[in-house]
Amino acid sequence: MKPSATITSSTATLDVVKAPNFVKVTAITIVSFSVITLLYLFPSSPFPSSISFSPSFSITSPQQIKNNASLVSPRPKKTRPPPPPTVGERTGIVDENGAMAEDFVIGEFDPSAMDEFRNLTGGREESTKEDGKLTRVKNERFRVCEESTRDYIPCLDNVEEIKRLNLSGSLVIYERHCPEEGKGLDCLVPMPKGYKRSIPWPRSRDEVWFSNVPQTRLVEDKGGQNWIALKKDKFVFPGGGTQFIHGADQYLNQISEMVPEIAFGQHTRIALDIGCGMASFGAFLLQRNVTTLSIAPKDVHENQIQFALERGVPAMAAVFSTRRLLYPSQAFDLIHCSRCRIDWTRDDGILLLEVNRMLRAGGYFVWAAQPVYKHEENLQEQWKEMQDLTRRICWELVKKEGYIAIWRKPLNNSCYLSGDSGAQPPLCDSNDDPDSVWYVSLRPCITRLPENGYGANVTTWPVRLHYPPDRLQSISMDATFSRKELFKAESKYWNEIIESYVRAFHWKHMNFRNVMDMRAGFGGFAAALHDLDVDCWVMNVVPVSEFNTLPVIYDRGLIGVMHDWCETFDTYPRTYDLLHAAGLFSAEQKRHKCKVSSIILEMDRMLRPGGAVYIRDSISVMSELQEMATATRWVCTLRDTGEGPHASWKILTCDKRMP
C-alpha cells in the first residue's frame, strides 16, 4: 500500500472514531454492559430487574430506567410480599450490603407450596428432623369412629366417669362429665346408614328424614300426644305437645289472650322452653318473630334435642341439676315449662331461683302442668307450695286459666328489700356475679337486679338489634369510654363482610339453617345475617377466655351460650349447617390449653354432611388448619381477605361433602 493511501485510511478511521454517532453507540454499549453486570452482582440493589432503551438510543438515568413501564428483563426475579415484622435468621446468598455472602443459609421448605398437593392426596404432613436434616412425614387422615358413636356427645356420654362417680338415679348424671386429657374424641363420628341431606327450612319444621334420626322410641312413647309420627321414610310433626295436643298455634293464641302484654315478637323476643319435647313450642313461635332456645337433658327421651335441631329449631342439651345453665342473667323475656317434669319447689326452690336468675326483669314464666288444674290432693299440695315460693321471690301471679299459670318477675329490688331480714330465700351477696356460669354451682338465693335498671329497659324488637344496650357499660373489658363505638364498629364490620359473603358465595341459595358463630363478640355476625334476610338462626358462642358479652347478645334479641372450646359442645353430631370462626384459633393458640386438632374434630362432629366452615384467622395458624381440615376430609380453599394478598389474615372456606 502506498504511504499516501495509508495516511488517508488512517485519517478516515480517525474521522469515524470521532464521529458523533460512533461515540453514542460506544457509550451506550459500555453503560449497558455495566448495568447488566451490576444486576448480576447485586440482585438486591434498588435498581429494577429489567432495562429498556428508547428507539433513539438515548442514554437514560437510573430513575428513568426505574420508571420505565416497558422494561425487558434479562433475568426474571420472583416478586415477594413485604417482609414479616420479626426478623429471623437471614437466608439467601446476598448479605445486608448487597454483596455476595461467603457463608449463607438455604431457606427451609415452604409448606404453603404443598397445599395443592395435599388437597389432591388427602393426607397431611408434619416436619421432623433426622440427623439435623428436615424431612416431611405424611400422616394419614383421621380414622372413622365405631358405628356406636354416631350420636355421641363426649361430655354427656362419658360412661366411665359416670360409673366412677356412682351417679345412677341422680340428675347429676345428665350434667357435663368430660373425658380426661388424652381420652377425648380422636376420630370422625360416623353418620347413620342412608343419611340424606337435611330437608330445608321451612319444610323441615313439619318433616325430617327417618334415616337421619333413626330413633323410634319417642314415636312409641309420645305418638298419642301428637308430638311425632312416622310416615313411610319420614318423621312428621303435627305440632302438638303433652299439654297442647291440639297444636302449638292454638296454645300460643291462648297465652296471648291470657296476657296480651306478653306481645310475642315485640316485647317478647327471646324465650326459653324447658323440657321441650319435639320443640314445637319454639318452632311455631318463630313465625311470630320470637327466637326460642329449646333445652332438655339427654335422658330417657334423649333424642328430643336431636329432632329439634334436625327440624331447624334452636336447641341444645341442658339440665336443671346442681350447676347454673350456661346463659347470662336476664337473658329471656319469657320462660316456658309444659310438663317439663321438674319439681320447682324442692330444695327450697333452688331450681326456680335459677329460672329467676335467667328471667329478664318484668319477664314472664309460663307453667302448664297438672298441679295447676287437677284437684287431686297431692297435686293441690304442690300447687300451694308453688304459690308460696313464687310469692316469696316476689313473682306476681298474673293469670291462671285452665291448665296454664303465668307469673311476672318484678322490675326492681323494692319487693325484696321490703321483706323481713330473715326472709327465705335471701338475696344473693352483692359480689355474686349472676353472669358467671361456666361450671358454677347453683345459688340458693334471689339474684339482685341492677339498681340502675340495666336489663329491664331494653327496647322492643327489631330496634333492639342495633341499639347499644345499657348493659354494654357493665361488661368487664378494656375499653372504658368507647364501648358504644366498638359496638357500632363491629356491626358495620360484619355487615360489610357478610354482604360480600352472601353475594360472592351465594349464601341465600345454600340453605344454611342452623348456624354457629364460635367466637361471637357482640353478636355482629348474627345481626348482619338477620339484616341481609338470610333465613337462619345463629348460636352465638362466647369462649370462656373472652370478655363475657352474653348479656349484650341477649339484650340485642339474639341467643348465645358460654363455652370452652377445649371441651366438646352440648349438641348432637350433624346438627349445624355452617360453622363460623373469626380469630378463634389464634386466640386459643395463645392459651396453650388445647390442640387445633381437637377443635377441628369437634367442628366436624357438629357439622352436617353438606355443611360448610368459614374460618377467618391469622396466617400464622393457617398452615396447621389446612392440614387438619384435609385430614378431616373437608374440601378447602384458602382465600385472601378484602385487604389483599399481603394482609395478616386469610379466609379458609371448607365444605364437608356428602359421601
Side-chain angles (χ1 to χ4, degrees):
M1 181 179 292
K2 294 180 179 181
S4 59
T6 303
I7 293 170
T8 303
S9 174
S10 301
T11 302
T13 303
L14 183 60
D15 291 339
V16 170
V17 171
K18 291 181 179 180
N21 287 340
F22 182 84
V23 172
K24 285 183 180 182
V25 171
T26 303
I28 291 170
T29 303
I30 293 171
V31 170
S32 302
F33 181 79
S34 300
V35 171
I36 292 171
T37 303
L38 285 171
L39 289 172
Y40 272 90
L41 290 175
F42 308 110
S44 300
S45 69
F47 292 99
S49 60
S50 54
I51 309 170
S52 68
F53 299 97
S54 65
S56 63
F57 295 97
S58 61
I59 300 176
T60 56
S61 67
Q63 185 61 38
Q64 288 173 317
I65 293 174
K66 185 174 182 180
N67 296 334
N68 197 321
S70 58
L71 302 178
V72 179
S73 174
R75 182 183 181 186
K77 185 179 178 182
K78 184 179 178 181
T79 302
R80 297 184 179 182
T86 56
V87 180
E89 188 176 20
R90 184 176 179 82
T91 61
I93 62 173
V94 180
D95 65 17
E96 294 85 347
N97 300 317
M100 182 76 71
E102 294 182 358
D103 53 343
F104 55 86
V105 179
I106 299 176
E108 294 185 350
F109 181 76
D110 182 4
S112 64
M114 289 297 290
D115 288 340
E116 184 176 353
F117 175 76
R118 292 193 200 105
N119 287 335
L120 290 173
T121 60
R124 59 189 174 102
E125 301 177 349
E126 293 179 353
S127 300
T128 60
K129 285 191 176 182
E130 296 179 3
D131 300 327
K133 296 182 179 180
L134 183 72
T135 61
R136 308 279 307 177
V137 179
K138 183 177 177 181
N139 293 322
E140 297 300 324
R141 294 172 171 178
F142 289 117
R143 66 182 179 87
V144 178
C145 307
E146 293 78 10
E147 175 65 23
S148 60
T149 64
R150 70 184 188 189
D151 296 331
Y152 182 54
I153 306 177
C155 288
L156 300 183
D157 293 327
N158 189 357
V159 177
E160 181 179 331
E161 181 68 6
I162 291 170
K163 285 183 177 178
R164 186 185 71 81
L165 295 173
N166 191 24
L167 299 175
S168 179
S170 169
L171 286 174
V172 180
I173 194 174
Y174 305 124
E175 291 186 328
R176 292 173 62 82
H177 304 285
C178 295
E180 297 177 5
E181 186 175 352
K183 294 185 178 181
L185 191 67
D186 61 354
C187 53
L188 306 176
V189 173
M191 66 185 73
K193 293 180 180 178
Y195 184 90
K196 300 178 182 180
R197 184 95 185 231
S198 297
I199 294 173
W201 181 268
R203 280 177 50 215
S204 62
R205 187 195 72 172
D206 302 321
E207 60 181 24
V208 302
W209 297 114
F210 168 80
S211 56
N212 289 13
V213 194
Q215 308 289 343
T216 59
R217 175 162 183 173
L218 282 167
V219 176
E220 297 164 0
D221 291 352
K222 301 296 182 180
Q225 297 176 4
N226 218 21
W227 279 24
I228 184 174
L230 179 59
K231 291 186 178 179
K232 296 182 179 179
D233 59 349
K234 294 176 183 175
F235 287 113
V236 295
F237 305 93
T242 304
Q243 293 291 153
F244 46 95
I245 60 174
H246 299 297
D249 255 340
Q250 179 180 334
Y251 180 69
L252 293 171
N253 288 338
Q254 182 180 353
I255 292 173
S256 296
E257 292 168 2
M258 288 174 65
V259 185
E261 292 78 12
I262 286 177
F264 288 128
Q266 295 178 8
H267 177 74
T268 298
R269 163 61 187 172
I270 299 297
L272 179 70
D273 188 19
I274 302 169
C276 61
M278 297 293 99
S280 289
F281 179 83
F284 282 84
L285 267 177
L286 284 166
Q287 64 196 25
R288 304 183 187 220
N289 280 329
V290 177
T291 298
T292 304
L293 180 57
S294 300
I295 63 170
K298 193 178 181 185
D299 57 9
V300 291
H301 298 145
E302 63 180 53
N303 296 96
Q304 49 194 325
I305 294 300
Q306 191 175 23
F307 275 114
L309 288 161
E310 186 67 19
R311 294 177 73 181
V313 178
M316 67 180 294
V319 62
F320 281 83
S321 181
T322 65
R323 300 187 193 126
R324 284 178 172 175
L325 274 67
L326 303 176
Y327 320 115
S329 65
Q330 298 197 75
F332 302 100
D333 307 312
L334 181 143
I335 296 180
H336 172 256
C337 161
S338 173
R339 289 288 293 275
C340 54
R341 299 188 301 141
I342 294 177
D343 184 357
W344 294 115
T345 59
R346 75 169 178 85
D347 298 331
D348 297 323
I350 194 169
L351 301 183
L352 197 65
L353 290 170
E354 173 64 358
V355 170
N356 182 71
R357 181 189 69 85
M358 297 185 295
L359 188 60
R360 191 175 300 282
Y364 296 90
F365 178 68
V366 180
W367 192 39
Q370 289 183 345
V372 177
Y373 66 95
K374 278 199 172 183
H375 298 288
E376 298 175 10
E377 184 176 348
N378 63 324
L379 295 174
Q380 283 301 295
E381 186 62 31
Q382 291 179 33
W383 169 245
K384 290 177 182 178
E385 292 175 357
M386 187 69 167
Q387 282 184 300
D388 177 62
L389 175 60
T390 54
R391 178 186 55 78
R392 286 187 281 116
I393 63 175
C394 294
W395 285 7
E396 175 192 0
L397 180 60
V398 180
K399 192 81 171 182
K400 176 178 177 290
E401 180 180 289
Y403 51 85
I404 302 174
I406 302 176
W407 287 268
R408 188 170 188 254
K409 180 179 175 178
L411 287 166
N412 52 55
N413 295 319
S414 60
C415 173
Y416 307 141
L417 298 175
S418 63
D420 297 334
S421 58
Q424 294 294 324
L427 277 172
C428 296
D429 293 338
S430 57
N431 60 359
D432 177 63
D433 182 1
D435 299 322
S436 178
V437 295
W438 187 247
Y439 287 106
V440 174
S441 299
L442 294 179
R443 304 282 201 261
C445 57
I446 301 172
T447 301
R448 294 172 182 264
L449 290 169
E451 293 295 340
N452 50 23
Y454 286 2
N457 49 3
V458 294
T459 55
T460 57
W461 180 263
V463 176
R464 64 191 276 190
L465 182 62
H466 293 295
Y467 187 84
D470 290 335
R471 283 204 286 178
L472 183 63
Q473 304 304 320
S474 62
I475 293 173
S476 297
M477 58 186 299
D478 294 336
T480 303
F481 302 107
S482 58
R483 299 179 182 209
K484 289 188 177 181
E485 287 71 21
L486 288 173
F487 177 91
K488 293 175 181 177
E490 188 202 67
S491 294
K492 182 179 179 182
Y493 173 79
W494 282 116
N495 263 287
E496 291 176 355
I497 290 176
I498 300 306
E499 186 178 11
S500 67
Y501 282 1
V502 170
R503 182 178 63 255
F505 302 135
H506 310 289
W507 273 17
K508 287 189 178 180
H509 305 290
M510 297 182 73
N511 293 322
F512 293 145
R513 177 60 190 169
N514 302 353
V515 177
M516 177 182 286
D517 188 3
M518 300 175 69
R519 186 173 181 247
F522 294 132
F525 174 83
L529 286 173
H530 177 272
D531 289 346
L532 293 167
D533 295 323
V534 180
D535 196 7
C536 67
W537 61 272
V538 180
M539 178 63 75
N540 294 283
V541 181
V542 175
V544 295
S545 56
E546 306 277 323
F547 298 121
N548 186 358
T549 54
L550 275 178
V552 173
I553 288 172
Y554 276 91
D555 286 358
R556 297 185 74 173
L558 305 169
I559 61 172
V561 65
M562 182 72 70
H563 185 64
D564 186 343
W565 285 115
C566 294
E567 299 182 7
T568 58
F569 194 78
D570 292 338
T571 191
Y572 281 82
R574 305 172 301 279
T575 47
Y576 283 88
D577 301 298
L578 172 64
L579 300 177
H580 175 259
L584 174 70
F585 290 93
S586 53
E588 291 297 335
Q589 188 181 59
K590 294 176 183 176
R591 294 177 67 201
H592 303 291
K593 189 177 178 183
C594 52
K595 299 177 181 177
V596 167
S597 59
S598 300
I599 303 176
I600 291 291
L601 281 170
E602 174 62 1
M603 293 172 73
D604 182 79
R605 189 187 71 86
M606 295 188 295
L607 191 62
R608 285 172 169 173
V613 172
Y614 281 66
I615 301 173
R616 297 176 66 92
D617 220 315
S618 167
I619 56 176
S620 63
V621 298
M622 278 300 171
S623 179
E624 185 176 5
L625 285 174
Q626 285 181 284
E627 290 183 358
M628 294 298 107
T630 301
T632 313
R633 298 171 172 80
W634 297 347
V635 179
C636 298
T637 303
L638 187 63
R639 307 173 187 273
D640 294 329
T641 65
E643 297 174 349
H646 302 316
S648 58
W649 280 42
K650 296 285 185 181
I651 306 172
L652 185 65
T653 62
C654 301
D655 297 322
K656 182 177 179 178
R657 302 269 175 97
M658 288 285 294

